[in-house]
Amino acid sequence: MLRASLASLLARKLRLFMSAFAVILGVAFVAGSFIFTDTLGESFTALTKSSAGDVVVRATGANDPEQPAAKPVPASVVAAIADVPGAARADGNVSDFTTFVVSKKNKLIGGQGAPGIAVNHTGGPAAHGVEASRLVKGHWPEQAGEVALDAATAKAAGYLIGEDVRFVSAGSEATFSAKLVGTHEMTGGSMLGASVTVMDTATAQRLFQKGADQFSDAWVTAKPGVSQSELRTQVARVLPAGFEAVTGDKVSEQMATEIQKGLSFITTFLLVFAAVSLVVGTFLIINTFSILVAQRSRELALFRAIGASRRQVSRSVLFEAFVVGLIGSTAGLVAGFGLAQLIRVLFGRFGLDMSGASLVLNPRTIVASYAVGLVVTMVAAWLPARRAGQVPPVAAMRDDAVLREGALRKRIIVGLVLAILGGAAMYLGLVVVDSNELKWLGGGILGVLIGVALISPLVGRPLVSGLGWIYRTVFGVVGTMATQNSLRNPRRTAATASALMIGVALVTLMSIFGSSAKASIDDQIAKDVTADYVVSNAIGQPFSAEIATKVAAVPGVAETARTRWSPVSMSGETEWAQGIDPVAVRAMTAVKTSSGDFAQVGPGAVSISAGTAKDRGLKVGDSIQLGSQGQVLAARVVSIHEEGAMVRSGLVTDLRDLESLGLPDQDSTIYIKRESSATASTVQAGLENALADLPMVTVKDQQAFADEQRKPIDTMLTIIYALLGLAVVIAVLGIVNTLALSVIERTREIGLLRAVGLGRRQLRTMLRLESVVIALLGAALGVLMGLGFGVAIQRALVDEGFDRLVIPWAQLGLFLGLAAVIGVLAAVWPGRRAARVDILRAIATE
Amino acid sequence: MTENSTETATDAAAGSGANDAERRPRPRAARVAHLTKHYGHGDAAVSALDDVTLNLYAGEFTAIMGPSGSGKSTLMHCAAGLDSVTAGTVTIGDVELTSLREKALTQVRRDRIGFIFQAFNLIPTLTAEENILLPLAIAGRKPDQAWFDQVVTTVGLKDRLSHRPGELSGGQQQRVACARALVSRPEIIFADEPTGNLDSTSGAEVLGFLRRSVDEFGQTIVMVTHDPGAASWTDRVVFLADGKVVDELRRPTPDAVLERMKGLDSRGGAH
């Protein structure tokens, strides 16, 4: 029996390929997601290994990622730890993450999310004697005015050794330049788009440590034979309070863990898409196997007639599924590499440059690919396999053995139940529960999608009938036949359309979400931002306070309001604080408060959002403690505000408070008001002129500011569309597959039609019309469901500032139009095959 | 050569002359001349038809008979423009088929030829009426309502027109096929074992209907069959063996057909 199914598989290579295709695509997505995230993780892990000395001395708690401004390590401490037993040397490190190279063409290098790292050159090795970075050309900087750049950045910026490099920085000098004396390469491999500038210690301290002889942290190098933990114990003994000694291994591990946490978002994100494509793929596999079993029913009946048991017949179909799954998983794994490469390019375009790293294939990727491929295929083939066992032996003797399609009722009941449960889960996620909202919401959407897919033979009927009427009127009998063909296997049509429906529903949801989010942002900006110009950094990096002084000096500028962001601890828990200056406090007249007076915000007086007030149980007049790096400051709540475009934080403080806490004097945004007598164009030109040599900040009017705020949404949408696009591609290939298989199934009918005079072109038209029915059905259902999801989500998020609902009708219309085009394209190949059907073989009875 | 050619029939191949008395001048509906059909190439080549020349006359019901492998189906397929020929010509009315391209050939099949196959005659998704009107609908022609009614009445399907093939008996399905072949008034109808899958009563109904359409409507029909009983409904039986026309019989009776067939079989056996 097994040999028979194997022979039958090999005899029909095309069929094998087509049924494996759905598996390949689904598995490729899973494998691609894993390979990509592993590659990303590996790049960071390699980096972390060379980013810590044998023992690291730092301010206690400095490894908290939300406390970037660590208390510095004084030079005296470094000197002390260098002398402990077992220490070969100790080096103080100065590091900064806001120093960017300006290229010869006056462009900022890197930056899109990746840090611009600046460090002093110490010569101290990283843990286990590893060199943190290797010199490629030239020499390390030895004195003020000399720098070394990583080779990739030097190349991108176009600087050669001996030339002057320009920098912008949030350090004490907003711009500076230095002579390039060497290029280097990080031992950890890819820098993921970050640039690494190396300078002499004195300069680094002048720029980033306010000129004091102190360091960000210090590395202690062990003498040969001294273990990290032995050295750590020795070092800890001499450390003053407020500092800690940590082994290099532990630091690397902590960094890696933090990075993994940060990356888990991307992994989840990609796996969601993998799940979507697997669901879509499962539909296709079920469909394909149903068709295959239907086509082979005569052959299967023959097996039954010559004595094979039901189980043997079922098992032979399952075995076929196993082989298909195996082949599909293997090919899918290979395709996954291609996909990972594609995702890498995609992410690279949005700032996560990983071109230096090679793709990583972990065992779990292989296991997951085969598990998913085999399980999905076998599960998908299970129902058709059972149906195959039920073929009566007598069917072998009949000419037109047809497998009865089970009643739709059971399917529709299951579908309805699923859809209702999904809807309930969505409701829970959006309105009721406070934790795991996204899981409830995602699960709910999935449930509704699958539920509707199951009942789609029913709900799709009016649409197919409506199209059928148009077809009949326009295309006559060819249109009638096309309609009838789509109605003859309602499940098959529905399953094929459902695959497309899922992709289109998610695309529609995202497009409604995106346009509503953008409209909401525009609204808020128009309402809240009273400034004429906004100076900000397009990449979200803070910039030197020096810039605000420059801007204020521009003629025609009436006043400037500064804001900055920093995490601080508020009565023990971390909170992102928005620090604003008194001018800003006065300017923010549009801020709504539920109690208290926002204008009273000043040193020692903060405003908190309604949400924070609720979470912390605070009210106006309550006392709180603000803290950072061991410094503590008492403050009082003076107002409870609502968040908006200007006030975007749960905690608003005077920025002088942030300075008192030892946080760097760096701004995030400067809002500028023009003098009423000054002309807009003159002031803007003046501002642009003042900031001309500071490419890291830009001056924008309100419109441009709004555009900039919307940009991240567009970026996110682009990535999501690209990934969903792949799900749509799978669905389209599903249509091709279904049509091609049904052409094989209907060979006889096609032969007859051709014999009685149906032209090839008419035949192709017929298939095209069938294909368009499927595509439009899927797209229409998808758009409808996406509309439902989009509206539901927007309604649920009104309270969180998502108060505009914008439905991009033109875009939705475009989706439907594209679906019709997709339908036409999907029919090209099956149509060609159908046209080539040999009439004689098709009608031959023997 | 025109459709109205009144050239007296001469049967080039067989010319047994048995029924010369019955001959009357008839227009020729179709002609195959020196038709040769090989399958395969070189040493593996099999000759299915070997220099066959045959005239088919308008308003006549012709049966083509022969043992299996004699080439009768191939002859029909070639004559109907369904299969290509190795050498020779096929003419339907005044159109020479072998020189036609695919598109023109499709139109000839649609407009000038009617088909009745042994099985799978109907499109399962279309009703009986839609199946009957299919060739006209494909051509975008309007049916002649009176003629349609007459055909439907004749085949006795008036109350079955809205049924799908799945809801019709085998005999009824074949009658729908007959009606479809007739309704476009083709120059010639090719029927390939039209009663092969039917019981004798249904078979007789279908044959009776074909006979009537020849007698009453002057339809030209060519039928391939191996059943002497079916052949006896025709005007003329042409016998094929080993790809050649070997004999011909006019006004056949079942016994006479059986007799000739036996002769062919023994010939085949001696081979």
Side-chain angles (χ1 to χ4, degrees):
Chain A
M1 201 65 206
L2 287 190
R3 195 170 298 165
S5 13
L6 207 55
S8 125
L9 256 178
L10 290 175
R12 298 175 189 139
K13 292 196 186 66
L14 183 68
R15 192 184 79 189
L16 176 68
F17 175 73
M18 291 203 290
S19 46
F21 205 84
V23 192
I24 296 176
L25 287 167
V27 170
F29 228 119
V30 173
S33 308
F34 276 131
I35 294 173
F36 176 75
T37 45
D38 286 347
T39 305
L40 199 57
E42 190 92 336
S43 319
F44 280 116
T45 311
L47 211 56
T48 57
K49 287 249 165 74
S50 57
S51 303
D54 282 329
V55 168
V56 176
V57 170
R58 63 190 181 192
T60 309
N63 64 321
D64 185 341
E66 295 191 329
Q67 305 278 3
K71 191 166 83 175
V73 179
S76 58
V77 174
V78 179
I81 56 180
D83 293 334
V84 302
R89 61 187 289 176
D91 299 281
N93 302 308
V94 178
S95 30
D96 173 71
F97 300 93
T98 63
T99 301
F100 294 89
V101 174
V102 181
S103 80
K104 278 191 164 167
K105 291 179 184 149
N106 210 30
K107 284 260 160 58
L108 212 62
I109 296 303
Q112 302 188 317
I117 301 170
V119 293
N120 61 328
H121 179 67
T122 62
H128 308 290
V130 175
E131 231 185 332
S133 83
R134 191 177 59 81
L135 199 61
V136 177
K137 254 192 218 159
H139 62 86
W140 291 114
E142 283 153 2
Q143 54 191 2
E146 289 184 348
V147 287
L149 286 180
D150 61 290
T153 302
K155 194 174 162 223
Y159 289 115
L160 300 173
I161 288 179
E163 292 182 321
D164 271 353
V165 182
R166 290 203 295 133
F167 295 92
V168 291
S169 166
S172 60
E173 288 172 35
T175 57
F176 62 92
S177 59
K179 196 169 95 176
L180 184 67
V181 295
T183 56
H184 66 99
E185 210 173 59
M186 295 301 286
T187 314
S190 168
M191 286 304 296
L192 304 139
S195 59
V196 183
T197 305
V198 182
M199 51 186 69
D200 65 288
T201 302
T203 306
Q205 285 176 333
R206 181 168 57 79
L207 289 173
F208 310 118
Q209 296 292 344
K210 297 168 184 153
D213 193 7
Q214 57 191 25
F215 301 93
S216 313
D217 63 10
W219 290 0
V220 194
T221 307
K223 276 185 181 151
V226 179
S227 75
Q228 287 190 354
S229 55
E230 284 163 8
L231 181 62
R232 195 204 72 80
T233 318
Q234 294 295 338
V235 171
R237 239 173 242 161
V238 303
L239 282 184
F243 295 96
E244 62 179 358
V246 188
T247 61
D249 289 351
K250 194 165 170 213
V251 171
S252 299
E253 201 187 295
Q254 279 172 347
M255 274 195 269
T257 314
E258 283 306 324
I259 288 166
Q260 292 296 349
K261 251 196 244 166
L263 292 183
S264 71
F265 160 70
I266 294 177
T267 317
T268 313
F269 184 73
L270 288 175
L271 284 178
V272 164
F273 286 95
V276 169
S277 58
L278 265 182
V279 170
V280 173
T282 308
F283 273 100
L284 297 187
I285 300 167
I286 293 177
N287 220 14
T288 308
F289 272 92
S290 304
I291 301 173
L292 293 181
V293 166
Q295 281 176 10
R296 283 174 59 206
S297 52
R298 229 176 136 190
E299 182 186 323
L300 296 171
L302 185 65
F303 282 133
R304 295 275 283 124
I306 61 173
S309 70
R310 270 179 184 218
R311 272 187 60 183
Q312 278 174 309
V313 169
S314 299
R315 227 170 356 177
S316 83
V317 173
L318 277 181
F319 176 72
E320 184 169 331
F322 177 78
V323 174
V324 167
L326 205 63
I327 294 172
S329 305
T330 311
L333 193 55
V334 175
F337 269 96
L339 196 64
Q341 185 61 37
L342 200 73
I343 301 174
R344 184 155 76 164
V345 170
L346 199 65
F347 274 68
R349 295 199 49 178
F350 297 110
L352 192 62
D353 181 20
M354 302 181 26
S355 48
S358 57
L359 293 174
V360 177
L361 180 64
N362 278 348
R364 72 157 183 170
T365 310
I366 299 173
V367 171
S369 297
Y370 279 98
V372 160
L374 285 176
V375 168
V376 167
T377 317
M378 305 268 295
V379 167
W382 185 74
L383 274 178
R386 263 183 39 141
R387 206 125 37 91
Q390 286 158 8
V391 176
V394 70
M397 266 64 84
R398 287 210 305 261
D399 239 345
D400 49 350
V402 183
L403 272 182
R404 75 190 162 79
E405 281 205 337
L408 280 176
R409 205 193 315 155
K410 213 197 302 178
R411 180 189 172 110
I412 282 165
I413 291 171
V414 173
L416 275 176
V417 169
L418 254 178
I420 291 168
L421 285 179
M426 277 181 70
Y427 178 78
L428 281 176
L430 285 171
V431 183
V432 183
V433 300
D434 280 333
S435 59
N436 289 328
E437 294 107 319
L438 278 179
K439 278 182 191 158
W440 282 102
L441 185 64
I445 287 180
L446 189 70
V448 174
L449 280 175
I450 294 179
V452 171
L454 287 174
I455 56 175
S456 59
L458 194 71
V459 297
R461 194 160 283 187
L463 189 107
V464 177
S465 304
L467 269 179
W469 183 81
I470 298 174
Y471 277 8
R472 240 192 322 280
T473 317
V474 181
F475 298 97
V477 73
V478 171
T480 308
M481 286 192 290
T483 316
Q484 293 298 331
N485 284 336
S486 5
L487 285 171
R488 76 207 283 184
N489 296 86
R491 286 156 181 266
R492 191 187 294 179
T493 305
T496 313
S498 299
L500 187 61
M501 171 190 86
I502 293 175
V504 172
L506 296 178
V507 168
T508 304
L509 164 62
M510 289 322 300
S511 94
I512 293 175
F513 188 81
S515 51
S516 298
K518 283 191 273 188
S520 301
I521 288 179
D522 280 357
D523 267 14
Q524 278 185 10
I525 289 174
K527 207 163 60 193
D528 297 354
V529 179
T530 51
D532 297 308
Y533 306 102
V534 179
V535 171
S536 64
N537 181 318
I539 54 180
Q541 298 284 353
F543 46 84
S544 167
E546 201 182 300
I547 289 173
T549 324
K550 272 194 169 188
V551 163
V554 171
V557 169
E559 58 181 18
T560 59
R562 297 185 288 156
T563 68
R564 56 182 59 167
W565 294 85
S566 183
V568 297
S569 80
M570 176 173 135
S571 302
E573 273 179 71
T574 303
E575 195 79 47
W576 273 91
Q578 181 176 11
I580 56 178
D581 68 4
V583 182
V585 175
R586 266 187 285 121
M588 289 177 175
T589 46
V591 174
K592 282 192 204 141
T593 53
S594 55
S595 68
D597 180 7
F598 190 80
Q600 285 180 19
V601 171
V606 303
S607 176
I608 57 173
S609 69
T612 312
K614 195 179 143 206
D615 290 350
R616 303 288 187 92
L618 292 171
K619 58 184 190 305
V620 171
D622 285 351
S623 291
I624 54 161
Q625 284 209 319
L626 298 179
S628 176
Q629 298 308 318
Q631 316 244 28
V632 179
L633 198 97
R636 199 164 40 84
V637 177
V638 294
S639 105
I640 310 244
H641 64 258
E642 274 176 37
E643 290 183 25
M646 292 288 281
V647 184
R648 283 180 287 164
S649 175
L651 171 66
V652 179
T653 69
D654 191 292
L655 52 75
R656 283 165 290 184
D657 277 355
L658 296 182
E659 269 176 72
S660 319
L661 288 171
L663 292 161
D665 194 10
Q666 297 172 350
D667 295 325
S668 300
T669 321
I670 307 171
Y671 298 95
I672 298 165
K673 260 212 135 106
R674 192 173 60 227
E675 273 169 15
S676 47
S677 58
T679 39
S681 54
T682 320
V683 178
Q684 176 145 13
L687 288 169
E688 276 165 7
N689 197 33
L691 301 172
D693 54 344
L694 295 163
M696 71 186 309
V697 291
T698 46
V699 54
K700 286 168 263 340
D701 58 15
Q702 232 191 58
Q703 183 55 43
F705 178 65
D707 288 346
E708 188 187 79
Q709 298 294 306
R710 284 191 310 236
K711 212 178 147 208
I713 299 174
D714 284 329
T715 305
M716 179 196 77
L717 283 179
T718 309
I719 293 181
I720 291 178
Y721 283 160
L723 290 168
L724 284 176
L726 288 164
V728 171
V729 167
I730 301 180
V732 173
L733 292 166
I735 298 178
V736 176
N737 207 357
T738 303
L739 279 181
L741 284 167
S742 78
V743 163
I744 296 174
E745 192 175 41
R746 298 195 326 236
T747 301
R748 263 207 155 115
E749 211 174 300
I750 289 165
L752 174 67
L753 283 170
R754 295 275 292 122
V756 300
L758 190 77
R760 284 188 171 153
R761 184 193 286 231
Q762 288 173 307
L763 185 58
R764 280 197 292 263
T765 303
M766 184 175 89
L767 282 167
R768 207 175 297 139
L769 292 176
E770 279 184 61
S771 174
V772 169
V773 167
I774 299 177
L776 277 183
L777 176 63
L781 286 177
V783 164
L784 277 178
M785 311 225 334
L787 266 173
F789 295 152
V791 172
I793 289 177
Q794 187 273 335
R795 284 276 167 265
L797 295 182
V798 165
D799 291 347
E800 301 180 23
F802 202 66
D803 46 11
R804 278 282 300 276
L805 174 66
V806 177
I807 297 171
W809 292 110
Q811 214 172 349
L812 301 189
L814 182 75
F815 292 160
L816 289 178
L818 279 177
V821 174
I822 279 173
V824 169
L825 291 179
V828 169
W829 182 63
R832 220 176 269 166
R833 272 184 74 85
R836 276 206 303 260
V837 161
D838 181 356
I839 303 176
L840 274 184
R841 278 177 63 187
I843 58 174
T845 36
E846 270 89 28
Chain B
M1 183 180 314
T2 67
E3 212 177 326
N4 298 326
S5 155
T6 49
E7 177 191 349
T8 305
T10 47
D11 290 327
S16 71
N19 292 299
D20 276 358
E22 292 298 315
R23 295 275 174 92
R24 56 181 192 277
R26 277 177 189 279
R28 201 163 60 194
R31 171 182 166 86
V32 299
H34 308 293
L35 189 62
T36 300
K37 172 79 183 172
H38 295 307
Y39 289 111
H41 296 283
D43 289 346
V46 177
S47 176
L49 293 175
D50 185 7
D51 195 26
V52 172
T53 298
L54 179 66
N55 288 319
L56 298 163
Y57 301 106
E60 207 168 60
F61 191 176
T62 308
I64 297 174
M65 295 199 72
S68 38
S70 60
K72 57 185 191 297
S73 282
T74 307
L75 176 61
M76 196 204 88
H77 291 151
C78 290
L82 292 172
D83 204 354
S84 61
V85 303
T86 310
T89 56
V90 175
T91 313
I92 302 284
D94 55 355
V95 181
E96 211 282 290
L97 298 192
T98 47
S99 61
L100 291 182
R101 301 183 59 116
E102 168 57 34
K103 201 169 171 184
L105 204 56
T106 303
Q107 277 174 13
V108 167
R109 285 201 304 266
R110 190 182 74 192
D111 299 335
R112 294 173 179 258
I113 301 177
F115 285 101
I116 305 166
F117 298 108
Q118 181 175 355
F120 293 107
N121 255 308
L122 306 178
I123 300 300
T125 48
L126 299 181
T127 62
E129 179 173 1
E130 285 167 331
N131 265 294
I132 293 171
L133 293 173
L134 185 61
L136 289 174
I138 290 172
R141 284 197 280 154
K142 281 251 178 308
D144 171 348
Q145 193 58 44
W147 173 238
F148 173 77
D149 289 342
Q150 194 177 351
V151 168
V152 168
T153 313
T154 314
V155 294
L157 286 167
K158 228 172 172 132
D159 53 343
R160 295 261 165 215
L161 285 179
S162 59
H163 288 58
R164 293 259 164 87
E167 299 155 349
L168 299 174
S169 73
Q172 285 169 333
Q173 288 185 24
Q174 285 305 79
R175 283 189 278 150
V176 172
C178 293
R180 181 190 62 206
L182 268 173
V183 82
S184 59
R185 298 192 207 254
E187 287 170 30
I188 189 164
I189 291 176
F190 289 101
D192 188 359
E193 305 264 15
T195 57
N197 273 9
L198 300 181
D199 61 71
S200 54
T201 317
S202 308
E205 267 173 26
V206 167
L207 288 164
F209 171 66
L210 292 177
R211 183 69 252 171
R212 280 177 63 196
S213 56
V214 172
D215 294 341
E216 292 173 22
F217 313 139
Q219 182 63 54
T220 310
I221 300 179
V222 178
M223 173 174 75
V224 168
T225 184
H226 63 271
D227 173 12
S232 67
W233 289 76
T234 64
D235 298 314
R236 173 192 179 203
V237 181
V238 175
F239 293 95
L240 239 65
D242 298 331
K244 289 191 170 73
V245 175
V246 290
D247 205 352
E248 178 171 334
L249 186 64
R250 290 212 161 254
R251 310 201 57 183
T253 61
D255 290 343
V257 174
L258 204 57
E259 199 63 30
R260 303 275 175 113
M261 285 295 283
K262 274 183 189 157
L264 290 183
D265 280 342
S266 61
R267 246 181 68 122
H271 219 54

